[in-house]
Amino acid sequence: MRSASAIYTVMVLTWVGPTVAARAEAITAEGAPKSADPPTIAAPSPGAQPQEVNDAKKNAKAAALTPIVPSPRNPLRPAFQLYAEIDLPILAVGLVFAEARLVHSQAAYCAPKCDPSGLNAIDRSTAGYWSPGWQTASDYGLYAVGVGAAALIFADEGILPGLNDSVVVAESALAATAVASIMTLAAGRPRPFLYGTKAPLSTRNSADAGLSFLSSHAALSFAMVTSTLVTMRRLHPGSKLTWIVAGVGGAMATFVATARVLGGMHFITDVVGGAVVGTSVGVLVPSLHGSPVSIVPVAGDGQHGLALAARF
């Protein structure tokens, strides 16, 4: 953000004496006060040589992150600042790790039928479940979570800022899926339908039958809901909208997780673990992205208040 080309400052709260008023003011980089742009390095020591100071400034500039420029039309949007050094690796690694399960070719160790006596009491209650209908419902529920999250962000922000913030939600989803995939391959836990004979024999002997823990559907849906919630909280702090997003989104993600259990694809502990991973990643990934808007104090000419400064 420090290497940005323009500064948009919106004064949202200004008062003179006892009178309170609100005004908006756009300032370009050429007309912005010098104090509006914070220094990129610490103040040099008194004994520092001019050449050393210049070298330090060059190094700081070279080490600065490269911003992926969002739309500058509205300084209050988007919620996140993207950087090439952060976002591109997350997307790339997430895609590779998320596809890791596709290379798995071994059947479950106990196929075609497993003994439920070794399961814990909670998971034993769903051993042998099999329902293609609930499996399809979980897929459609997952699609609905993704479409709903994108629709909400684009409707709230518009195309370009919405696209910017959707990248962060997509990163959260990919990261959660990647973590789930790695844990699933490492655990190699048989799916619930292997503890019965309702599922077709070909399905019970497939490589997918040994990928139960943890649920990638649950991780993915909860990651999208949580990261969307974080986005809305940044865009509308203190608004009731965030509670609506939390309630509706949480209910949809819970439906997806429940459908995976009823479909015989995952045990209860599988979806609980997926929900924990998805929620955690949904908070962690957005926290890596600072907002392009900062709040700074404003004083001078008998006025004082707060200003929003956005750098692009």
Side-chain angles (χ1 to χ4, degrees):
M1 290 192 299
R2 291 170 180 169
S3 61
S5 60
I7 300 175
Y8 295 84
T9 303
V10 178
M11 194 167 297
V12 295
L13 179 61
T14 309
W15 62 89
V16 182
T19 304
V20 179
R23 68 171 180 169
E25 179 179 357
I27 304 177
T28 62
E30 290 78 11
K34 187 176 181 180
S35 60
D37 193 10
T40 57
I41 60 174
S45 62
Q49 298 296 322
Q51 183 60 39
E52 295 176 344
V53 174
N54 291 332
D55 291 343
K57 290 181 178 179
K58 292 180 180 179
N59 291 335
K61 184 176 181 180
L65 295 174
T66 305
I68 300 176
V69 182
S71 171
R73 296 178 181 177
N74 186 348
L76 302 181
R77 300 289 189 274
F80 305 107
Q81 175 64 61
L82 304 181
Y83 290 98
E85 294 85 351
I86 295 177
D87 297 282
L88 296 181
I90 291 179
L91 289 171
V93 174
L95 282 171
V96 173
F97 279 26
E99 299 299 324
R101 65 176 60 205
L102 296 181
V103 303
H104 182 70
S105 59
Q106 296 177 339
Y109 69 90
C110 57
K113 190 177 185 299
C114 304
D115 182 7
S117 61
L119 296 173
N120 60 71
I122 296 177
D123 291 336
R124 196 180 304 127
S125 64
T126 61
Y129 275 26
W130 173 256
S131 174
W134 278 113
Q135 295 169 23
T136 302
S138 69
D139 292 337
Y140 282 116
L142 182 61
Y143 301 150
V145 171
V147 172
L152 176 63
I153 292 175
F154 281 111
D156 184 78
E157 300 188 70
I159 300 299
L160 292 181
L163 182 61
N164 181 92
D165 290 344
S166 294
V167 170
V168 176
V169 176
E171 287 179 7
S172 300
L174 272 177
T177 305
V179 173
S181 297
I182 298 303
M183 294 184 67
T184 298
L185 291 172
R189 186 184 197 185
R191 294 189 186 272
F193 61 72
L194 270 174
Y195 294 85
T197 57
K198 294 181 180 179
L201 182 61
S202 59
T203 302
R204 287 184 280 136
N205 283 323
S206 68
D208 183 68
L211 303 177
S212 186
F213 184 85
L214 47 79
S215 171
S216 59
H217 273 64
L220 180 55
S221 57
F222 275 94
M224 287 191 292
V225 168
T226 305
S227 56
T228 302
L229 175 62
V230 174
T231 304
M232 291 297 108
R233 284 178 60 88
R234 283 200 183 185
L235 297 174
H236 307 281
S239 172
K240 293 181 180 180
L241 177 62
T242 57
W243 293 103
I244 297 175
V245 173
V248 175
M252 294 176 66
T254 301
F255 170 81
V256 172
T258 303
R260 296 303 282 175
V261 174
L262 296 177
M265 298 299 289
H266 291 288
F267 293 105
I268 295 175
T269 54
D270 298 337
V271 298
V272 171
V276 171
V277 169
T279 302
S280 301
V281 173
V283 173
L284 177 61
V285 172
S287 70
L288 299 176
H289 299 79
S291 173
V293 177
S294 60
I295 300 178
V296 296
V298 174
D301 297 331
Q303 303 178 6
H304 53 287
L306 297 175
L308 295 178
R311 295 175 177 82
F312 300 99

